[in-house]
Structures are given as structure tokens and as C-alpha cells.
Amino acid sequence: MFGRLFLPYRSRRPKTFQIFKNLFCNKTTLPIEVKVQSFLQKLKQKDRRTLAKAITLVESSNPSDREISRRLLDQILKQQKQNQTQSSFRVGLSGPPGVGKSTFIETFGLHVLGSSTTESTESSRLAVLAVDPSSNRTGGSILADKTRMYHLSKDDRVYVRPSPSRGTLGGVTKTTNEAILLCEEAGFDIILIETVGVGQSEIAVSDMVDMFVLLVPPAGGDELQGIKKGIVELVDMIIVTKDDGDLKPAAKKAQYEYMSALKLLKPKSSFWNPAVIRCSSLDGSGVDSVWRKIKEYRKIMEENGEMQRNRASQRKIWMWKLIEEEFWHRLKNHPSIKSILSTLESRVEEGSLNPTIAAEEIIDVFRNGFKDFKHK
């Protein structure tokens, strides 16, 4: 009578559960090319669910997923080359923690969507790629940026994707470039990339976008802070946030200080001098000025061919970054390297071997094809 209660849980699962598992959970062994074409077709139909799956695919470390994503991205790049169209615009947003990047994106995005509806027959579609820092101890991320974009993320014309940095330096993820291409293929014409927000070395996003925007808080430093080499000399626009309430005088002072500092730096482009604009994400003041300045920048860069040249250069930088990542992955995981790695690490830790010599020995193993190598 009570025997069924003591059966293993797996044997007590209802038949409906098994049916659901067979229909949705089992992986089908479709040819890779069929999967790629399915992704392409659904992305062209502007299916946001497929876009989410595609980005997850490129973020995966699974070999089969990597092969599918490689072929998918190859097809997208070939189509972009054939069409010779550049309808999208990529904007990188960086700044220190607490400056209000996510709140600004919420206000700015809603403004862009509203103005595009009144200015043109075809409304803009906005994609936000937010990078969240990962824990060095656990590897986890909170991924809370989307919660600060509550109203924006509910709009059908918007796609918000938070992703963990996974230890990647520069404020972005290893697959941000790939995610940008997928968003463009899904019909999003304005791509906003929000970086982690850690400091002046956060410049990797500048090699991925058409326009690099730095958000700074009021009373964030003096004029000397503004002329420090690094992130400031790469920006196309500086936005002083929180220009409201008691912070208005401080925001105005910060604007003048950064305007003065930029005069001492050589502009990144001969066609554009970086602007410094104050805005408030609470009352929306200055947001329209930011949007008008972004459109002005885009028009100038497109007319002079600067944007096309920058994207060509960025693809080359992307290639070399992939080479570095792949080289490191193969080096660290090769059996011959693994066989000597623990010994070298131990000797370095105890101080009997110079780290430089240990690194050279590892490279020699890799360079010589693991032949006739004698560990000293």
C-alpha cells in the first residue's frame, strides 16, 4: 500500500514530465549548417528569443557551440560585406561606479525611442549590452543592470542583455564584438555597450564602437584629473551626470574643468572635437542635447568615411585579440605543457626559478612542437 511512497523519485515522475522532457529538453542531432540557417532566418525576423540564444551560444565554451557560433558569425559578416550597408550605430558608455550609467541609459533610451517615432516613419530599435563585473573568488555576477532599466526593458523595440565580464579586462566581455554583430543582424540599429566601470584603463570598448562616451560625476576631480592619459584622450563626448538639485553648481564646474582639460589633449579625429554636456537622468534635462550631439557626430563621421575606416581597423584588432585568446587557451591546455606546468609553478613559488626563465621554457616547449625538449 505504501510501497510507492518509498520508490526512487525518478520512477515516480509523471508521464507528462517525460513527454515534456522528450519534446523540449532532448538535444536533436541536426547538422550544424541547418542550425546556422535556422538562427539566421529567425534573427532576420527580429526574434528576440533567438537573439538571446545566439548570444548565449557565442558565450559558451562548448566546442560544438563554438563551431556553430563561428559559422553563424561568418555568414553574418559575409552578408554585411555583400549588402555594403551600415545602418547601425554603436555607442560605448563608460564611467566610474555610481556615476549613473544604467539610469542614464534608461532615460536616454526612452528619449531616443520617443524622438525617432516623431521624426521618422520607422522607429529605432535599441539594444543594450551591459557588462557586469565577475567575482574573482567565485566567478559569479549579480547582473543587476537590467533592474535599473525597468521601463526601457519592457519596450518591444528594446533588447537588454546583461553579461558577466568573467575576468576580462577593459570593461567588456570576450564576446562583446560577437554580441554586437548578432544584435545588428536582429534589426537593432542603435547598440549601447555599458562597460563595467572601474577606472581610467577601461578602454577596450573604444575598439568596438563608433562613438565612445565617458560619463563623469559632478565634483569628481579637478582639471588635472581630466587631463590624465588613458580613457579621457579616447573619448568622443563627456557627459557630466546628476545635473540636478544641489549638485547643479558642481556639475557646471565639472563641465568647465573638462572643457578646459580637453583643450590640452589632441583630438582623436581631425573631424571632431569632443563635447562636454551636462544632463540629468531624473528630470531629463540635457538628454536631448546629448542625442542631438550624437546624431551630429554620426553624420560627420559617415560623410568623411571615418566611421567605415574605424570599423575596418576594429575588425583587425578583433582578429588579434582572438589570436591571443586562442593561443593562451591552446598553450595552457596542451598535454605537454600540463606535464611540466606544475613543476615550474612549484619552483617559481619556492623561489628557485626565475618567473622569466620559467615563461621562456614554456614558450620553448610550444614553439619547438614539444620535440626533444629536456627540462632543466
Side-chain angles (χ1 to χ4, degrees), residues 222-230 232-235 238 255-268 273-274 276:
D222 55 15
E223 185 175 333
L224 290 176
Q225 183 73 15
I227 63 176
K228 284 184 179 179
K229 299 295 185 180
V232 177
E233 63 182 350
L234 296 176
V235 300
I238 295 179
Q255 180 187 27
Y256 289 145
E257 288 178 344
Y258 274 98
M259 289 173 64
S260 178
L262 286 173
K263 294 177 182 178
L264 303 176
L265 299 175
K266 183 180 179 180
K268 186 172 64 173
N273 290 318
V276 184

Side-chain angles (χ1 to χ4, degrees), residues 35 54 62 87 93 120 142 152 227 270 331 344:
K35 294 180 180 179
N62 185 287
S87 58
L93 298 167
S120 61
I142 299 177
L152 187 65
I227 63 176
S270 58
L331 178 69
L344 293 175

Side-chain angles (χ1 to χ4, degrees), residues 169-332:
L169 300 178
V172 293
T173 72
K174 292 192 299 183
T175 57
T176 300
N177 274 310
E178 291 86 338
I180 291 172
L181 282 178
L182 292 170
C183 289
E184 291 173 345
E185 185 68 13
F188 291 96
D189 55 343
I190 300 176
I191 317 293
L192 302 181
I193 298 95
E194 178 191 351
T195 66
V196 170
V198 289
Q200 297 210 23
S201 62
E202 193 179 297
I203 58 176
V205 70
S206 64
D207 293 327
M208 302 177 181
V209 297
D210 303 314
M211 186 177 193
F212 186 28
V213 179
L214 175 65
L215 278 68
V216 295
D222 55 15
E223 185 175 333
L224 290 176
Q225 183 73 15
I227 63 176
K228 284 184 179 179
K229 299 295 185 180
I231 193 170
V232 177
E233 63 182 350
L234 296 176
V235 300
D236 301 302
M237 180 192 296
I238 295 179
I239 299 175
V240 182
T241 61
K242 304 180 181 181
D243 180 34
D244 48 55
D246 296 337
L247 291 175
K248 264 188 171 297
K252 191 173 183 179
K253 180 182 178 183
Q255 180 187 27
Y256 289 145
E257 288 178 344
Y258 274 98
M259 289 173 64
S260 178
L262 286 173
K263 294 177 182 178
L264 303 176
L265 299 175
K266 183 180 179 180
K268 186 172 64 173
S269 171
S270 58
F271 302 105
W272 179 260
N273 290 318
V276 184
I277 301 176
R278 289 178 287 124
C279 82
S280 169
S281 300
L282 293 180
D283 57 27
S285 60
V287 175
D288 183 62
S289 299
V290 171
W291 178 228
R292 283 190 281 108
K293 189 61 70 172
I294 288 176
K295 290 190 293 184
E296 179 187 348
Y297 172 88
R298 180 179 184 179
K299 182 180 179 181
I300 293 174
M301 293 295 111
E302 286 181 337
E303 288 177 349
N304 292 280
E306 188 83 357
M307 201 162 87
Q308 293 82 354
R309 289 191 292 270
N310 287 340
R311 286 200 179 185
S313 176
Q314 289 170 0
R315 285 193 291 269
K316 183 172 67 174
I317 295 172
W318 181 14
M319 179 193 73
W320 279 108
K321 286 182 178 179
L322 292 175
I323 291 174
E324 292 174 4
E325 292 171 5
E326 188 63 24
F327 178 83
W328 168 249
H329 176 75
R330 295 191 182 191
L331 178 69
K332 191 175 181 179

